Amino acid sequence: LAKTTQPISMDSYEGQEVNITCSHNNIATNDYITWYQQFPSQGPRFIIQGYKTKVTNEVASLFIPADRKSSTLSLPRVSLSDTAVYYCLVGGNAGNMLTFGGGTRLMVKP
Amino acid sequence: GAGVSQSPSNKVTEKGKDVELRCDPISGHTALYWYRQSLGQGLEFLIYFQGNSAPDKSGLPSDRFSAERTGGSVSTLTIQRTQQEDSAVYLCASSDPLRGRGTDTQYFGPGTRLTVL
């Protein structure tokens, strides 16, 4: 099971772009990279998933370099409501995404 | 159309009592997960069910913890002889891994906050 490493916390200001990088040096060939967002008193919520290069949806972008040993979640123009904990997971087949780790606590300030 | 639901939302119990936590997954989802989250911490995997396969119980912290999934749908997590260190939020998630590779997105319920006095 691929282990992930993320910064414990990050601070930003409203309107800025935020990039959170996750390291996953022992990612397997079949593994995908998935990011979740968790607000206080709620369960985590799926944000984005990718395998390689770049994925973009209405919420975020995910950048994955060619070696896939890391990935960067990019949140454009954050607002106060983006204050949350962001988790990076690596896996793909059923049952492999079992280790969430500590996540990155993002604080967006006015 | 409904998401994952859990009950109760809050449970306060006395040390030594047994508790049962319920999870109703999204209809049609074959995979079901239980996690535990202590205050300010990440998620700790407890147990995983997939279809009719034997559950992956590798995350259960002790034999006081058990879970079952009836009819491939509803799941119950049971904690016997609760201890104060069992106090946490217990989260359930379901997914539909048979949809294809890399699509094992987990959908989480709101959790049950367990407080053991």
Side-chain angles (χ1 to χ4, degrees):
Chain A
L1 186 66
K3 177 181 165 63
T4 61
T5 303
Q6 307 173 230
I8 295 174
S9 64
M10 294 181 68
D11 288 344
S12 183
Y13 291 92
E14 283 189 290
Q16 289 188 334
E17 178 184 81
V18 170
N19 296 308
I20 306 174
T21 297
C22 178
S23 297
H24 28 80
N25 292 320
N26 59 338
I27 187 170
T29 301
N30 294 331
D31 286 344
Y32 278 65
I33 300 154
T34 308
W35 286 79
Y36 287 81
Q37 173 191 56
Q38 186 179 27
F39 296 114
S41 302
Q42 295 185 26
R45 180 176 72 103
F46 170 87
I47 301 177
I48 197 166
Q49 184 180 81
Y51 183 80
K52 62 180 180 181
T53 61
K54 176 184 175 182
V55 178
T56 297
N57 62 22
E58 65 278 6
V59 177
S61 294
L62 179 59
F63 297 92
I64 305 168
D67 66 5
R68 305 202 323 123
K69 294 183 183 299
S70 66
S71 59
T72 299
L73 174 71
S74 181
L75 305 173
R77 299 178 299 283
V78 294
S79 63
L80 296 177
S81 62
D82 292 317
T83 293
V85 178
Y86 293 83
Y87 295 95
C88 163
L89 279 81
V90 173
N93 297 322
N96 281 356
M97 294 190 178
L98 305 178
T99 302
F100 272 72
T104 297
R105 190 172 300 273
L106 173 65
M107 173 68 72
V108 179
K109 303 174 183 178
Chain B
V4 177
S5 61
Q6 294 185 244
S7 60
S9 55
N10 281 285
K11 176 70 176 180
V12 180
T13 189
E14 294 179 347
K15 178 181 174 181
K17 301 282 189 183
D18 297 352
V19 295
E20 285 190 352
L21 312 180
R22 177 187 168 106
C23 172
D24 284 84
I26 292 173
S27 177
H29 279 191
T30 58
L32 187 146
Y33 309 75
W34 281 99
Y35 295 87
R36 177 170 70 174
Q37 187 171 35
S38 300
L39 187 63
Q41 303 299 310
L43 279 74
E44 175 189 4
F45 165 72
L46 297 177
I47 189 169
Y48 161 71
F49 296 89
Q50 169 52 45
N52 296 321
S53 302
D56 178 353
K57 304 179 181 180
S58 60
L60 294 179
S62 77
D63 59 8
R64 295 187 296 105
F65 288 72
S66 63
E68 62 178 21
R69 188 178 185 193
T70 54
S73 180
V74 172
S75 177
T76 302
L77 176 69
T78 301
I79 309 173
Q80 296 178 311
R81 305 181 302 282
T82 53
Q83 304 294 314
Q84 289 183 330
E85 60 264 28
D86 298 334
S87 296
V89 175
Y90 289 81
L91 289 158
C92 172
S94 71
S95 71
D96 186 15
L98 298 181
R99 289 184 63 189
R101 187 182 67 175
T103 58
D104 192 16
T105 300
Q106 295 179 51
Y107 296 85
F108 283 81
T112 294
R113 182 175 299 279
L114 175 66
T115 303
V116 182
L117 302 177

